[in-house]
């Protein structure tokens, strides 16, 4: 099965196309979506195992020779990301059954989610820079649909800004690809990597590198390009917010890591220094935001920005520990952000508000929710042995190895702020006197809690069992640190 | 909005079929020369838009009782199925094949899997364009 | 020729930026349209403007234009067509729902919902 690496992309697409036939039959939609996601997920696991045993998988579409056709490449990093994005998709869909509302389910909610997963997985898998643009557009178009679905006033207002920002950034993407094409004359990422290494340290290459940082920085919400994110992400309902918060910024982060490890390795002194400074500034901006708001959604949304900064810092130091830490933290962040958004989703469902000052005392009636929130918050901050710990440890170790003393200490300090911001939600929402509308149907509560608890347990397992994940992460890091592995897989007998 | 423009309506009845046939021509021309599913689909939807201009939405819906979402879905499935056919032969996705066949009336004809893919594209374009136009024009 | 194209592209971008920064929603959408036109022209110019014949296989022609930028532009046109259509629908819905197409009135602070 040489087409195996395409299955996590094609299966959601196929099921989304099938779902378009009967938008009004909600029950059938739900069942088929779950079946589709489970099939895709199992194919992703098979792919993961295949990449682990046989190394990087590559396939050039249409049987063309590698630099000419569109190449799809699945290395360990993209296989891991594909698997975790499908996993999050599954939990979000499960959570949506009771929370999204029948009206949205009838207006192409599930097909939009599946199309978005197609785009996300495609962007993770593709080995062609223009094809990456196409997959970005696929996921953006579906995200436009998702963000405006339901048509509330605030959604319409915010989605216009979201679409506008993304149109501009997509245009920049195409412009940058145009520049890159004029320099190297190819679009195949492996080929670009080889040709750029031949060109060496040229000014235009650095310009292109910075342009790519801007393009993907808008999607990945780095400083100062995150301005659109808090407003837009707060508009749609919780399951959609979860999907966006857990996945969409990570696509941008993935693209930055991929281009900065594969293409722009000749002028590290400038490009990666810039990346490091930007990542530190991103963390500062995120920390300020996370402490400034009393809105639970906004607090967690600003935590996305902090995480983006931490991951990019790990990638910018370009050594083994830092890179491996970034990989650990990237997957951790997808899972933990999913869990946290679902948890605050339940809190918002119970209290009917997202304002911290209007809620309180939930621990008495909802102890399970309270304790699982606490575990997730500790995991977010990176308290051992929970999931965030190992990633952050390795990132800081990488920083120290490159003698970036202050920056590493800064990242440590930012963990405290993350902890503070997450615990603030716990204190306000769960302690104190009972406030807010507390008459909540216990059955709905249980239905919402089931996927959330499962996801929290999964993050705990991710933290406790990180020892078993080390071989996977080592493989991912090896490809990132040595671009020739990637290009050999594309051009050599990587079939 | 109810228009009652006799010249427009009479002309449209003829011109619609001319545009329709031209779109089919462009679609098949894409085989070896410029053309193809995308332009063909756009032409087809422009023909339907002409109908919408001459008559109103309700009349056109009675003339062409088509659910354009289903058209889109069918198009997507046709395209996907054509491209995915290669999976069963264990060759890379999108690998295309062609051969020459003797068809009655047409004689020696070359048939290419890309044509089936383009059929899907044609349907998707018509479906998506018409869905959007109906969405804007739908409510007064 | 490349210089001329660059000036043209710059002009398109200039107009696009001006329109995007204006208040009316419709002007903004027209601005994004111009932006993508400029992008497509840039892509064409970046591939080099040489080549006399269309990149379609025929006898006796050796001086083909570079087909790759053309393929990329076609893809980008299709995508920007879709995005523009979507944003038009969205602008229309927003206008109906919020009763304004003025971006200043859509700021969405706590007291201005």
């Amino acid at each position: 099965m040489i087409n195996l690496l395409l299955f996590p992309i094609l299966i959601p697409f196929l099921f989304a196309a099938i779902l378009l036939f009967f938008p009004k039959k909600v029950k059938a939609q739900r069942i088929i979506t779950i079946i589709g996601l489970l099939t895709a997920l199992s194919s992703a696991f098979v792919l993961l195992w295949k990449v682990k045993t046989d190394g990087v998988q590559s396939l050039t579409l249409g049987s063309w020779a590698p630099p000419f056709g569109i190449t799809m490449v699945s290395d360990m990093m993209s296989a891991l990301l594909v698997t975790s994005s499908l996993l999050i998709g599954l939990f979000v869909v499960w959570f949506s059954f009771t929370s999204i509302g029948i009206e949205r389910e009838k207006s192409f909610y599930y097909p939009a989610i599946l199309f978005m997963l197609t785009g996300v997985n495609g962007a993770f898998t593709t080995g062609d820079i223009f094809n990456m643009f196409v997959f970005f557009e696929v996921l953006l178009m579906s995200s436009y649909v998702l963000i405006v679905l339901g048509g509330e006033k605030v959604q319409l207002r915010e989605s216009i800004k979201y679409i506008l920002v993304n149109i501009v950034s997509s245009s920049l993407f195409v412009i940058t690809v145009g520049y890159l094409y004029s320099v190297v004359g190819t679009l195949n990422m492996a080929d670009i990597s080889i040709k750029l290494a031949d060109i060496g340290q040229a000014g235009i290459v650095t310009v292109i590198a910075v342009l790519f940082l801007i393009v993907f920085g808008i999607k990945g919400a780095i400083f100062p390009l995150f301005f659109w994110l808090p407003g837009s992400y707060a508009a749609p309902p919780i399951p959609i917010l979860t999907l966006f918060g857990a996945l969409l910024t990570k696509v941008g982060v993935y693209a930055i890591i991929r281009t900065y490890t594969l293409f722009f390795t000749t002028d590290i002194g400038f490009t990666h220094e810039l990346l490091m400074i930007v990542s530190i500034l991103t963390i500062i901006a995120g920390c300020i935001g996370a402490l400034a708001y009393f809105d639970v959604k906004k607090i967690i949304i600003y935590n996305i920005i902090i995480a983006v900064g931490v991951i990019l810092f790990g990638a910018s130091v370009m050594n083994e520990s830092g890179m491996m830490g970034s990989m650990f933290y990237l997957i951790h962040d997808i899972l933990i952000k999913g869990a946290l958004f679902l948890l605050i989703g339940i809190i918002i469902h119970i209290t009917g508000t997202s304002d911290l000052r209007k809620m309180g005392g939930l621990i008495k009636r909802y102890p399970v929710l309270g304790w699982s929130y606490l575990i997730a918050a500790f995991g977010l901050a990176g308290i051992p042995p929970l999931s965030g710990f190992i990633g952050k440890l390795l990132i800081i170790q990488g920083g120290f190895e490159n003698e970036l003393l202050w920056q590493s200490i800064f990242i440590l300090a930012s963990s405290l702020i993350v902890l503070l911001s997450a615990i603030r939600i716990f204190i306000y929402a769960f302690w104190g006197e009972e406030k807010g509308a507390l008459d909540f149907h216990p059955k709905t509560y249980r239905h919402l809690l089931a996927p959330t608890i499962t996801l929290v347990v999964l993050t705990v397992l991710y933290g406790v069992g990180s020892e078993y994940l080390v071989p996977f992460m080592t493989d991912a890091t090896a490809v990132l640190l040595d671009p020739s592995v990637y290009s050999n897989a594309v051009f050599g007998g990587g079939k | 909005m109810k228009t009652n423009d006799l010249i427009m309506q009479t002309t449209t009845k003829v011109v619609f079929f001319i545009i329709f046939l031209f779109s089919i021509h462009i679609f098949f021309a894409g085989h070896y020369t410029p053309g193809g599913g995308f332009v063909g689909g756009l032409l087809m939807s422009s023909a339907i838009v002409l109908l919408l201009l001459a008559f109103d939405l309700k009349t056109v819906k009675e003339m062409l009782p088509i659910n354009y979402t289903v058209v889109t879905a069918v198009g997507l499935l046709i395209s996907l199925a054509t491209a995915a056919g290669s999976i069963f032969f264990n060759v890379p996705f999108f690998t295309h094949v062609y051969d020459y066949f003797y068809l009655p009336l047409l004689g020696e004809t070359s048939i290419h899997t890309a044509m089936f893919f383009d059929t899907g594209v044609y349907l998707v374009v018509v479906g998506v364009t018409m869905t959007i136009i109906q969405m804007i024009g739908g409510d007064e | 020729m490349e210089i001329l194209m660059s000036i043209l592209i710059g002009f398109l971008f200039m107009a696009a930026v001006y329109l995007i920064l204006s208040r009316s929603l419709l002007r903004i959408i027209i601005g994004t349209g111009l932006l993508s036109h400029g992008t497509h022209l840039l892509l064409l110019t970046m591939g080099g403007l040489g080549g006399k014949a269309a990149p379609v296989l025929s006898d006796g022609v050796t001086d083909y234009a570079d087909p790759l930028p053309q393929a990329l532009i076609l893809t980008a046109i299709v995508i920007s067509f879709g995005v523009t259509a979507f944003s038009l629908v969205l602008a229309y819905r927003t206008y109906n729902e919020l009763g304004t197409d003025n971006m200043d009135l859509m700021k969405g602070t706590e007291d201005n919902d």
Side-chain angles (χ1 to χ4, degrees), chain A residues 130 133-134 137 141 144-145 148 151 153 156-157 159-161 163-164 167 171 174-175 178-179 181-182 187, chain C residues 13 25 28 32 35 39 42-43 46-47 66 68-69 72 75 79 82-83 86 90 94 97-98 106-108 113:
Chain A
F130 193 79
F133 163 72
V134 174
E137 288 304 312
M141 285 294 269
Y144 301 157
V145 173
V148 26
K153 280 185 178 172
L156 287 168
R157 201 177 58 214
S159 56
I160 287 191
K161 295 165 201 166
I163 290 177
L164 199 58
I167 288 177
S171 294
V174 179
I175 291 169
Y179 287 152
Y181 180 72
S182 77
L187 293 168
Chain C
F13 281 163
L25 205 49
I28 292 176
T32 58
L35 187 67
T39 315
L42 185 97
L43 210 52
M46 281 300 138
D66 187 354
L68 196 63
L72 302 188
T75 317
I79 288 170
V83 173
F86 186 89
L90 184 70
T94 314
E97 197 75 22
L98 302 177
M106 289 189 212
K107 269 189 191 136
D113 205 27

Side-chain angles (χ1 to χ4, degrees), chain A residues 157-218:
Chain A
R157 201 177 58 214
E158 292 303 331
S159 56
I160 287 191
K161 295 165 201 166
Y162 177 74
I163 290 177
L164 199 58
V165 166
N166 278 304
I167 288 177
V168 173
S169 97
S170 298
S171 294
L172 262 180
F173 195 170
V174 179
I175 291 169
T176 317
V177 169
Y179 287 152
L180 190 62
Y181 180 72
S182 77
V183 173
V184 292
T186 174
L187 293 168
N188 187 303
M189 279 156 68
D191 205 21
I192 292 173
S193 160
I194 295 170
K195 295 220 164 110
L196 279 182
D198 288 344
I199 291 173
Q201 200 173 342
I204 181 77
V205 178
T206 312
V207 171
I208 292 170
V210 175
L211 271 172
F212 267 124
L213 187 61
I214 294 172
V215 169
F216 297 136
I218 295 177

Side-chain angles (χ1 to χ4, degrees), chain B residues 46-124:
Chain B
S46 70
I48 302 176
V49 169
L50 188 64
L51 274 186
L52 284 172
L53 286 177
F55 306 90
D56 61 328
L57 202 72
K58 221 174 132 203
T59 326
V60 177
K61 254 189 190 153
E62 275 165 23
M63 274 190 254
L64 301 166
I66 303 170
N67 182 349
Y68 290 104
T69 324
V70 173
V71 175
T72 315
V74 171
L76 284 177
L77 282 181
I78 291 176
S79 293
L80 184 66
T82 318
S86 52
I87 291 176
F88 298 104
F89 298 98
N90 208 26
V91 287
F93 193 69
F94 269 126
T95 303
H96 46 149
V97 286
Y98 64 94
D99 205 352
Y100 293 89
F101 294 93
Y102 185 82
L103 295 182
L105 295 179
L106 294 172
E108 183 90 349
T109 317
S110 97
I111 293 181
H112 202 295
T113 48
M115 191 192 77
F116 298 109
F117 184 79
D118 241 17
T119 317
V121 174
Y122 185 99
L123 292 176
V124 170

